[in-house]
Amino acid sequence: MFFKGKIALAPLAGVDESSWEVRFIKSQIEDIYGFEVDVLDRQKMPKSAYDSPPGYNASLLLDYLTAAMPNKYDKIMGVTDSSIYATKEDSSNWAVNGLSYNGGVACVISTHAFGIKKLNGGRYERRLAKASLHELGHTLGLPHCDNTPSCFMTEAREQVKTIDSEEIILCRSCKRLIAFAQN
Ligand SMILES: [Zn+2]
Ligand SMILES: [Zn+2]
C-alpha cells in the first residue's frame, strides 16, 4: 500500500485537542519521522474498550481506533489520560504506557502512568515523546532495537524507570529499516 506520510492524532476523553501535550506529540512526530500530523477532534473513550475492572483494554482501543481512522491517513495514534491495560498470554492483566502491534494501523499511549506533569527537568515531556515515538515506530514495522541504548525503540523505553534518559533519538539502523519499509 502506498505510504502517504500522514498520521492522525486522536485525543481521547480528558486529553484536550489544543493541550500542549497534544501539540508536543505532534511536533515530536513531525520532527523525528518527518510525517504530517493532523489532530482529530477529541472523542470519548469507547465503551467497547471498557472492561470493569480493571478499566480500558488497550487492545480493544486499537480495534476502535483502526475502525475510526479516516482513509487519508496511514496510521492513527490515540492519546488518553485513562489507565490502560494489556492482557498477557496467561490472561493476567498489566498496566501499560502504550500499545501497538508491529505493522499495525493504530497505536495508543496513556499519560496516566507518567506521573505528575510538574516533574522536573522535562522528564514528563520526555516520557510523553518517547512513548509516542516508540509505539508509532512499531506500527511502522520497527522491532525492539538492540543496537543503540539511547534509541527510543529499545525495549527499556516501555518502562517508566528507564524512560528518563535525556536523549530522544532514533538510531541509524532503525531509520534505515523505516526507509526500507516505506518503499
Ligand atoms: Zn515496544
Ligand atoms: Zn534503534
Side-chain angles (χ1 to χ4, degrees):
M1 207 170 54
F2 179 66
F3 192 82
K4 305 177 267 302
K6 284 176 77 77
I7 310 295
L9 199 55
L12 297 166
V15 178
D16 200 280
E17 57 259 53
S18 58
S19 64
W20 72 264
E21 280 103 332
V22 168
R23 282 182 281 129
F24 179 68
I25 293 169
K26 171 178 155 76
S27 72
Q28 287 292 316
I29 295 171
E30 289 172 341
D31 288 354
I32 301 271
Y33 288 112
F35 301 144
E36 210 181 299
V37 179
D38 288 342
V39 178
L40 306 183
D41 290 338
R42 177 162 48 149
Q43 303 171 48
K44 286 180 189 159
M45 288 294 273
K47 285 200 181 94
S48 61
Y50 191 78
D51 261 347
S52 145
Y56 288 96
N57 178 315
S59 164
L60 293 176
L61 277 173
L62 295 185
D63 293 346
Y64 169 82
L65 289 164
T66 300
M69 185 182 78
N71 276 335
K72 61 176 176 173
Y73 300 106
D74 303 290
K75 308 286 178 190
I76 184 167
M77 177 185 292
V79 184
T80 177
D81 59 354
S82 299
S83 71
I84 57 176
Y85 73 90
T87 305
K88 287 187 195 175
E89 275 172 27
D90 66 5
S91 53
S92 64
N93 297 319
W94 85 107
V96 291
N97 298 332
L99 188 73
S100 56
Y101 297 116
N102 200 279
V105 166
C107 57
V108 64
I109 65 151
S110 162
T111 61
H112 188 85
F114 295 157
I116 51 162
K117 296 180 184 185
K118 301 281 186 290
L119 280 174
N120 294 331
R123 265 203 293 164
Y124 181 79
E125 287 89 332
R126 286 200 298 278
R127 290 177 182 185
L128 208 55
K130 286 175 184 169
S132 25
L133 296 169
H134 182 106
E135 298 307 339
L136 188 61
H138 283 317
T139 70
L140 297 166
L142 288 180
H144 284 144
C145 174
D146 300 325
N147 298 300
T148 311
S150 53
C151 177
F152 60 71
M153 286 314 295
T154 56
E155 196 165 11
R157 296 291 164 257
E158 289 182 336
Q159 284 150 29
V160 164
K161 276 179 197 144
T162 46
I163 205 174
D164 285 334
S165 70
E166 296 283 332
E167 285 177 295
I168 300 178
I169 68 145
L170 184 62
C171 77
R172 223 191 282 172
S173 65
C174 286
K175 273 188 188 151
R176 232 180 276 136
L177 281 177
I178 288 190
F180 182 73
Q182 285 168 27
N183 284 322

